[in-house]
Amino acid sequence: MHVTQAINAMGGVLRSAIVNDCEITDFVIDSRKVVEGSCFVAFKGDNTDGNLYAEQALKDGAVLAVLEDEEVFNRMSGNRVLVKSSLDALKTVGAYNLGKFKGVKVAVTGSVGKTTTKELISCVLAAKKKVYTAYGNYNNELGVAICAANLKNRSGFAVFEMGTNSAGEIAALSKYIKPDVAVVTLVGHAHIGRFGDIDGLAAEKLSIIDGMVDGATLWVHDSCRRFIGERELSRVNVRYFGTDMMSHVILAEKNRTASGDFYFTAVMRNTPYCFKLNHIYSHFVENSLAAIGIGMSLGLSYTEVMKGIRNFQPADGRGKITEYGEYKIIDDTYNAGFESVMGAMNNLAEIPASQKTAVIGEMGEIEGFEEQLYQKLIKRAQELKGVNFIFVGGGFKDFKEADNIRIVAEKTDAMKKVADVEGGIMLFKASRSRRFEDFINHLQKEKEQRAV
């Protein structure tokens, strides 16, 4: 896409100044991420005004600046465009790209496992054709627009992620993407406080069908079968994955290896297929079922799908495992829905190791359900005698400690306890806002200083 092409695709253009009509390599909203050929889209944020960084962005290699501030536009030189709304401009460029895309569009939503499932699907499909995968967890209106604006039209597949904070968001994102294939990973407790109950949350997730094209396929975890009604069945082809024997992709068997990862068997069309997943999380195995179903339904061979599953590695903060001296660290610090926390705790308990520690923080977006859900975590921790738990945050302060449970209200105090742990496997998991990656960084620094 060239500069003039991008401007012509934008909605709400007020003025433009073009010095050189060159090619745009990518669209960015963070001036620090500008590279040669970028289009910098300036946003006025709560703490900073991106328009003020536009001039520097052009100096750093950007070939176009999208501005909302007329004063900044007037005093700058170089390729620039003044728009009513940077978000609308970015969305219309994304819509233009989506309209030109000839490949298969896949969209993933759900309460937990969205990013992991998206990455698993991408790994599988990449064995067949080039795949465009949406960045990280760019799953809200702005994030999806950025990913659509950067969509590479030569790709055979494009895989997007959709999240929600309020009713109507998933339907709007789906109508924007118009997916050929969609996945609902699970309906759990994430954001439940904003939807009243589990049925309201399920309705929001399933509204992904509102934008799906005719003849599209919706893959749903079989635990969500009770939420599927005539509306869904009449609009799309519904396919299930999970452990239910009536599902279209069935997890028939899974076996943990001595190193903690899995061999498992999935049955599809009455045929068993064997796979290897190089991770300790058993819920990643169930996420894999959606990728297997989609891959084989889109014409990939068993060998191609098998290689894709085997090649999967989680992203940073999503269960990535690193070894640091006497420690094996499970970095699951990016987010923490109730189901994913419980799953991580259970999986840690199953791993064959003599020393296991779980550092668990507060969960976000469970308004009104905190006490109930934290009580369940504490109760389960008491049952997992082979794991030492450190629960961190004010949400846990009223619970009692046990032989294997420590409650620490303040993060700084918890860091001291973490630094005292002598090796073994350590799991770190909490809501993104709690920044639990600080524990990992602190642990590494402490051990480095002691080694000097």
Side-chain angles (χ1 to χ4, degrees):
M1 180 181 291
H2 282 71
V3 168
T4 53
Q5 191 178 14
I7 293 174
N8 289 336
M10 290 178 190
V13 172
L14 301 175
R15 293 168 58 193
S16 63
I18 307 302
V19 177
N20 180 24
D21 185 19
C22 45
E23 186 174 2
I24 295 172
T25 57
D26 66 339
F27 290 79
V28 299
I29 61 173
D30 185 340
S31 62
R32 295 168 296 183
K33 295 182 179 180
V34 165
V35 296
E36 193 70 33
S38 293
C39 172
F40 173 62
V41 185
F43 282 81
K44 292 183 179 180
D46 294 333
N47 301 314
T48 186
D49 183 354
N51 290 273
L52 303 179
Y53 298 92
E55 191 167 9
Q56 185 61 47
L58 291 180
K59 292 178 181 178
D60 291 341
V63 295
L64 177 64
V66 181
L67 305 163
E68 293 178 313
D69 190 312
E70 186 173 9
E71 183 179 335
V72 174
F73 178 90
N74 289 336
R75 71 167 182 254
M76 280 179 57
S77 59
N79 289 345
R80 59 202 189 280
V81 56
L82 180 67
V83 297
K84 292 180 181 179
S85 164
S86 291
L87 176 58
D88 288 344
L90 193 61
K91 286 174 66 177
T92 52
V93 171
Y96 172 80
N97 266 348
L98 289 165
K100 290 179 60 181
F101 186 68
K102 303 301 182 185
V104 176
K105 292 173 289 186
V106 182
V108 181
T109 192
S111 297
V112 293
K114 293 187 294 295
T115 303
T116 298
T117 303
K118 178 195 68 180
E119 296 297 333
L120 279 160
I121 293 168
S122 297
C123 281
V124 166
L125 296 180
K128 187 75 171 179
K129 294 180 181 178
K130 187 175 181 180
V131 178
Y132 174 78
T133 307
Y135 317 136
N137 73 324
Y138 277 33
N139 61 26
N140 61 8
E141 182 182 24
L142 174 57
V144 171
I146 295 170
C147 295
N150 284 304
L151 175 61
K152 308 305 179 187
N153 286 309
R154 293 181 180 178
S155 303
F157 303 103
V159 188
F160 296 91
E161 180 179 336
M162 297 179 182
T164 180
N165 286 314
S166 58
E169 290 188 65
I170 295 296
L173 292 173
S174 183
K175 290 175 183 176
Y176 181 69
I177 296 294
K178 298 179 177 63
D180 304 287
V181 180
V183 180
V184 176
T185 60
L186 196 70
V187 176
H189 289 80
H191 305 289
I192 191 170
R194 302 181 185 184
F195 293 91
D197 57 27
I198 200 74
D199 292 305
L201 185 56
E204 172 66 12
K205 300 300 184 184
L206 290 170
S207 69
I208 197 169
I209 69 169
D210 290 2
M212 295 177 72
V213 299
D214 292 341
T217 301
L218 174 67
W219 287 89
V220 183
H221 191 277
D222 57 29
S223 65
C224 304
R225 190 185 293 269
R226 67 187 179 94
F227 301 118
I228 302 295
E230 288 301 320
R231 174 176 176 269
E232 289 77 28
L233 294 172
S234 64
R235 291 286 307 277
V236 294
N237 299 313
V238 179
R239 298 290 182 268
Y240 297 100
F241 62 94
T243 57
D244 188 329
M245 294 304 292
M246 297 299 292
S247 293
H248 297 81
V249 182
I250 305 164
L251 177 60
E253 184 180 19
K254 64 179 177 184
N255 296 296
R256 192 183 292 276
T257 70
S259 59
D261 48 19
F262 287 94
Y263 285 103
F264 67 97
T265 302
V267 177
M268 189 172 183
R269 303 188 189 100
N270 295 319
T271 303
Y273 300 95
C274 296
F275 298 93
K276 174 72 160 40
L277 179 73
N278 295 311
H279 201 274
I280 66 167
Y281 280 171
S282 61
H283 49 279
F284 283 7
V285 173
E286 293 208 28
N287 296 147
S288 301
L289 302 179
I292 292 167
I294 290 171
M296 299 187 83
S297 295
L298 291 176
L300 275 72
S301 68
Y302 160 61
T303 301
E304 290 169 331
V305 175
M306 180 266 293
K307 288 180 178 178
I309 299 297
R310 187 184 62 195
N311 291 337
F312 165 76
Q313 289 294 326
D316 291 345
R318 301 284 186 173
K320 186 173 183 179
I321 299 174
T322 57
E323 294 194 15
Y324 180 76
E326 66 271 36
Y327 297 93
K328 178 179 282 189
I329 295 174
I330 306 172
D331 180 1
D332 206 351
T333 58
Y334 197 88
N335 216 337
F338 171 74
E339 287 79 10
S340 66
V341 176
M342 191 69 83
M345 289 167 51
N346 289 333
N347 277 274
L348 181 61
E350 294 171 3
I351 299 171
S354 58
Q355 176 77 5
K356 294 178 282 191
T357 305
V359 184
I360 307 296
E362 294 164 299
M363 299 178 288
E365 298 157 339
I366 53 171
E367 298 92 334
F369 292 82
E370 290 89 348
E371 184 177 358
Q372 172 188 343
L373 297 179
Y374 289 153
Q375 177 66 59
K376 289 183 178 181
L377 292 183
I378 296 292
K379 183 177 184 295
R380 183 56 180 153
Q382 291 172 340
E383 298 168 349
L384 300 175
K385 301 297 186 183
V387 180
N388 293 314
F389 288 89
I390 303 173
F391 287 95
V392 183
F396 298 105
K397 63 182 176 60
D398 293 330
F399 294 101
K400 293 181 179 180
E401 293 189 339
D403 290 342
N404 67 327
I405 296 175
R406 296 293 173 265
I407 307 293
V408 188
E410 298 297 329
K411 187 176 174 182
T412 51
D413 294 331
M415 283 187 176
K416 298 174 185 177
K417 289 189 177 295
V418 168
D420 289 338
V421 175
E422 295 296 333
I425 300 175
M426 297 192 72
L427 164 69
F428 295 88
K429 190 166 181 62
S431 172
R432 174 90 289 267
S433 63
R434 302 305 186 260
R435 296 187 60 84
F436 261 39
E437 65 272 18
D438 293 343
F439 280 104
I440 299 174
N441 296 332
H442 180 74
L443 181 64
Q444 292 175 344
K445 288 178 182 179
E446 282 285 313
K447 298 307 175 186
E448 288 171 358
Q449 290 174 358
R450 293 180 186 180
V452 174

